[in-house]
Amino acid sequence: MLRIPKKYYGVAVAGLVVFHVAMFAATYLFISPAYSGEEVKSVYLRAGDDVIKELEEQAHVRTKGFGLLRAVLGYHVRPGRYDMQPGDRIISIFRRLRNGQQTPVRLVMPSVRTMDDMANFLSEHLMMDSAAVADSLGDSTYLARWGYTPETVPALFVPNTYEVYWNISLSDFMRRMQRENDSFWTHARQAKAIRMGFTPIEIATLASIVDEETANDAEKPMVAGMYIRRLEIGMPLQADPTVKFAVGDFSLRRILKEHLEVESPYNTYKNEGLPPGPIRVASVAGIDAVLNYVRHNYIYMCAKEDFSGTHNFAATYSEHLLNARRYQRALNQRGIK
């Protein structure tokens, strides 16, 4: 049996303490999982957050040892979105936060109707304030940096899926959207727009109307062809969706005379040509439908009476009236006002 001289008792005790501390560190920092969830869990951290509290509340991370690492190594947590992986140890989580190794957000850009809707969408998915974003998207001076106005800025956004960091600034986001817009408007697309006599913003404006008229992508080139035919013969667009936009009520099922009298540059019954800008963020299908429109002689269209979401087209007003009566009769039968 090993005997330890009394004069070394203190050293032995100290050694045991160091050993147990080392075992604690090895267990909690390098061996035991701090996140025991079965699925990846995201933790969102803002500047000034209590990191330990957020880790525990958002992902139930066991944070023993985190304070020790912070005291020994020091760190500055960068705001962002960090994924907790099943089996993550506290040392792995600590390194990720200290090094700012964020997980990008997969942002599915929608075809929203208004810039207030866009502001709300961005604030729901990114570290942005909806009111501040809405103010910026309505600020002529700010938008001029990107070559847009409050009326034309919907044309900047191309609905697609993007990977961005959660804490991206609005200006960096706008810069990214400008690059994506430039990439979308390929030489082929620009050449088609030029042949039609339109700018990309004008194409997006017309596409936004087409998108509002039909959700049927196969029908969109026909609808686009009808509106282009109207522009060619000098006929007002007379697009009901632009009246809804002018009134500010997209839920209207019937456009009445009082709506047609609204004074607005977006009222295409009272104003010839295109409205000042898109009435929504145009879809890729809508833009390509305008660029590849079907040339025909139809200048009228009316929703089909079967409520399929498609339309009856007509080349004469008398034929259009027959289509309109069938649709009005269907509305009355369903009690739709």
Side-chain angles (χ1 to χ4, degrees), residues 32-88:
S32 298
Y35 173 64
S36 56
E38 296 181 358
E39 298 180 353
V40 174
K41 179 71 175 180
S42 296
V43 173
Y44 299 86
L45 299 176
R46 298 174 183 271
D49 276 349
D50 183 330
V51 178
I52 290 179
K53 177 183 177 183
E54 296 302 326
L55 287 172
E56 291 175 347
E57 291 186 352
Q58 293 189 42
H60 304 294
V61 172
R62 181 173 51 76
T63 57
K64 287 182 180 180
F66 197 91
L68 175 63
L69 287 170
R70 180 167 55 184
V72 174
L73 301 177
Y75 76 96
H76 173 68
V77 171
R78 302 176 187 178
R81 173 199 177 192
Y82 297 92
D83 278 358
M84 304 296 111
Q85 304 284 345
D88 261 349

Side-chain angles (χ1 to χ4, degrees), residues 49-312:
D49 276 349
D50 183 330
V51 178
I52 290 179
K53 177 183 177 183
E54 296 302 326
L55 287 172
E56 291 175 347
E57 291 186 352
Q58 293 189 42
H60 304 294
V61 172
R62 181 173 51 76
T63 57
K64 287 182 180 180
F66 197 91
L68 175 63
L69 287 170
R70 180 167 55 184
V72 174
L73 301 177
Y75 76 96
H76 173 68
V77 171
R78 302 176 187 178
R81 173 199 177 192
Y82 297 92
D83 278 358
M84 304 296 111
Q85 304 284 345
D88 261 349
R89 301 179 303 277
I90 199 67
I91 187 68
S92 302
I93 295 172
F94 176 85
R95 286 173 176 166
R96 201 174 303 145
L97 300 183
R98 187 181 64 177
N99 296 333
Q101 295 173 340
Q102 294 188 58
T103 302
V105 173
R106 191 169 181 269
L107 193 68
V108 182
M109 181 67 68
S111 173
V112 295
R113 282 194 169 113
T114 69
M115 290 301 94
D116 282 343
D117 292 337
M118 178 62 74
N120 289 331
F121 169 78
L122 293 178
S123 69
E124 289 173 2
H125 294 84
L126 303 174
M127 195 179 74
M128 293 186 185
D129 177 73
S130 60
V133 174
D135 287 344
S136 295
L137 294 180
D139 185 335
S140 298
T141 302
Y142 178 78
L143 294 178
R145 295 165 54 185
W146 319 105
Y148 293 89
T149 67
E151 293 75 27
T152 62
V153 69
L156 167 65
F157 304 103
V158 178
N160 208 332
T161 300
Y162 306 103
E163 284 196 349
V164 298
Y165 287 120
W166 178 69
N167 62 331
I168 189 173
S169 68
L170 177 61
S171 291
D172 283 345
F173 179 76
M174 294 289 282
R175 197 171 292 112
R176 170 70 181 278
M177 291 299 99
Q178 186 69 75
R179 292 199 303 270
E180 297 293 346
N181 187 283
D182 291 343
S183 296
F184 173 79
W185 280 98
T186 60
H187 176 74
R189 284 192 173 104
Q190 290 188 53
K192 289 179 180 179
I194 291 171
R195 286 197 295 270
M196 295 169 64
F198 291 139
T199 66
I201 289 177
E202 290 171 333
I203 293 291
T205 299
L206 186 51
S208 71
I209 297 174
V210 172
D211 281 336
E212 282 290 339
E213 288 285 18
T214 180
N216 188 314
D217 288 346
E219 189 186 47
K220 287 179 180 180
M222 281 289 292
V223 176
M226 186 205 69
Y227 280 123
I228 289 172
R229 180 61 181 157
R230 287 183 180 182
L231 291 172
E232 288 175 342
I233 65 176
M235 176 182 175
L237 288 182
Q238 296 181 349
D240 289 356
T242 66
V243 177
K244 294 179 182 180
F245 185 88
V247 173
D249 185 357
F250 293 101
S251 66
L252 290 175
R253 297 297 297 272
R254 288 190 177 191
I255 302 299
L256 305 176
K257 184 178 180 180
E258 63 193 71
H259 300 136
L260 300 181
E261 295 302 320
V262 170
E263 291 295 336
S264 168
Y266 288 91
N267 185 346
T268 56
Y269 279 83
K270 296 177 73 71
N271 303 284
E272 293 185 4
L274 293 169
I279 59 174
R280 69 177 302 143
V281 172
S283 70
V284 172
I287 292 172
D288 283 340
V290 173
L291 292 173
N292 300 282
Y293 71 96
V294 175
R295 179 167 289 280
H296 53 66
N297 292 323
Y298 298 129
I299 56 174
Y300 300 103
M301 73 176 192
C302 180
K304 286 185 177 179
E305 61 278 8
D306 60 3
F307 297 96
S308 62
T310 55
H311 297 78
N312 290 312

